[in-house]
């Protein structure tokens, strides 16, 4: 083999080696996240690493900093004292709320999980509307119903709002509409046109606050 051919072989070999190193580096930096418990992350040793952690959203922990949502998650069936702070830059899904299981993927920074991905799990709930008031029936009684435990039924009208909005959605029945507040997660099947049954109380401002997850009317849904 002459010198020219040897030089060409060396150059080609060098290019192949460099390409392989680049591929390995890219694969290493974008590797899959390690699935960890909240206790694992709080125990340290994962700073700067990509991880996936799941836990129940802690009540009254949601705040915001610009476009970022900051909240706490705790073990689903473990030590409630173990709470991990999650920072998530993205739109909160309608199913997000207190007690909902959030599966968060991101990088650990200063003991906080900076999540770039999040999915939620919220169990479905069905209930009969029997014994409940219509929206019109509730509002017709006016101030007499303010603050009282009540079950009201109706059809969802319009879009579902995020948990940090002024209200989550509106329902309508017998021509009357009612705004509903709820700080927990909503079943993903609760959408515009869905028949729901809601247990809670009417506020002085005319908004109904749900005390538990609004239920889908089983008689209409079947």
């Amino acid at each position: 083999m002459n010198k020219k051919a040897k030089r060409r072989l060396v150059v080609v070999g060098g290019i192949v080696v460099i390409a392989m190193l680049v591929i390995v580096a890219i694969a290493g930096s974008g590797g899959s996240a390690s699935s960890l418990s909240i206790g694992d992350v709080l125990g340290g040793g994962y700073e700067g690493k990509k991880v996936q952690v799941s836990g129940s959203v802690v009540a009254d922990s949601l705040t915001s900093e610009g476009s970022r949502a900051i909240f706490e998650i705790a073990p689903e069936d473990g030590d409630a004292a173990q709470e991990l702070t999650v920072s998530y830059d993205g739109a909160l899904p309608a199913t997000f709320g207190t007690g909902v299981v959030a599966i968060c993927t991101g990088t650990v920074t200063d003991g906080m999980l900076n999540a770039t991905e999040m999915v939620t799990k919220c169990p479905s709930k069905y209930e009969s509307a029997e014994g409940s008031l219509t929206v019109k029936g509730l509002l017709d009684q006016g101030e007499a119903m303010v603050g009282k435990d009540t079950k009201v039924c109706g059809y969802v009208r319009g879009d579902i709002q995020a948990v940090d909005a002024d209200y989550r959605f509106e329902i309508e029945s017998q021509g009357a509409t009612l705004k509903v507040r709820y700080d927990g997660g909503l079943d993903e099947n609760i959408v515009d046109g869905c028949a729901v049954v809601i247990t809670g109380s009417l506020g002085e401002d005319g908004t109904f606050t749900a005390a538990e997850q609004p239920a889908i009317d089983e008689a209409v849904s079947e």
Side-chain angles (χ1 to χ4, degrees):
M1 183 181 297
N2 57 41
K3 292 183 179 180
K4 189 174 183 180
K6 286 183 179 179
R7 283 197 298 270
R8 187 181 298 115
L9 183 60
V10 170
V11 171
V12 172
I15 293 174
V16 171
V17 171
I18 293 172
M20 291 178 65
L21 290 174
V22 170
I23 292 172
V24 170
I26 293 175
S29 62
S32 60
S34 300
S35 182
L36 302 173
S37 69
I38 292 174
D40 290 335
V41 177
L42 294 178
Y46 294 96
E47 191 73 13
K49 294 184 179 179
K50 186 176 182 181
V51 300
Q52 183 179 84
V53 188
S54 65
S56 299
V57 177
V58 176
D60 301 322
S61 67
L62 178 64
T63 59
S64 61
E65 294 181 2
S67 63
R68 301 193 73 85
I70 313 294
F71 56 94
E72 310 281 339
I73 57 174
E76 296 175 53
D77 299 304
D79 185 359
Q82 287 189 326
E83 295 183 359
L84 175 65
T85 302
V86 178
S87 172
Y88 177 65
D89 191 3
L92 293 173
T95 52
F96 181 91
T98 298
V100 169
V101 176
I103 305 171
C104 309
T105 303
T107 305
V108 179
T109 306
D110 296 329
M112 174 189 292
L113 178 60
N114 289 308
T116 55
E117 302 172 38
M118 179 177 66
V119 295
T120 55
K121 295 191 301 181
C122 187
S124 299
K125 183 180 179 184
Y126 292 83
E127 185 176 326
S128 171
E130 184 178 353
S132 63
L133 294 171
T134 63
V135 174
K136 185 176 185 303
L138 173 68
L139 298 181
D140 280 352
Q141 297 183 58
E143 294 183 0
M145 297 303 296
V146 172
K148 290 187 176 181
D149 292 338
T150 311
K151 189 183 340 184
V152 63
C153 64
Y155 290 88
V156 176
R157 298 302 185 213
D159 295 332
I160 305 298
Q161 308 298 321
V163 69
D164 53 352
D166 291 335
Y167 65 94
R168 298 300 292 281
F169 57 89
E170 287 186 295
I171 61 171
E172 179 271 332
S173 54
Q174 287 191 314
T177 59
L178 182 67
K179 292 179 179 178
V180 178
R181 291 194 184 104
Y182 181 58
D183 66 357
L186 294 176
D187 188 290
E188 61 184 6
N189 295 309
I190 295 180
V191 294
D192 182 31
C194 175
V196 293
V197 182
I198 308 170
T199 300
S201 60
L202 183 67
E204 293 182 355
D205 63 352
T207 301
F208 193 87
T209 299
E212 57 187 57
Q213 182 188 167
I216 298 172
D217 185 347
E218 59 185 2
V220 176
S221 302
E222 290 179 349

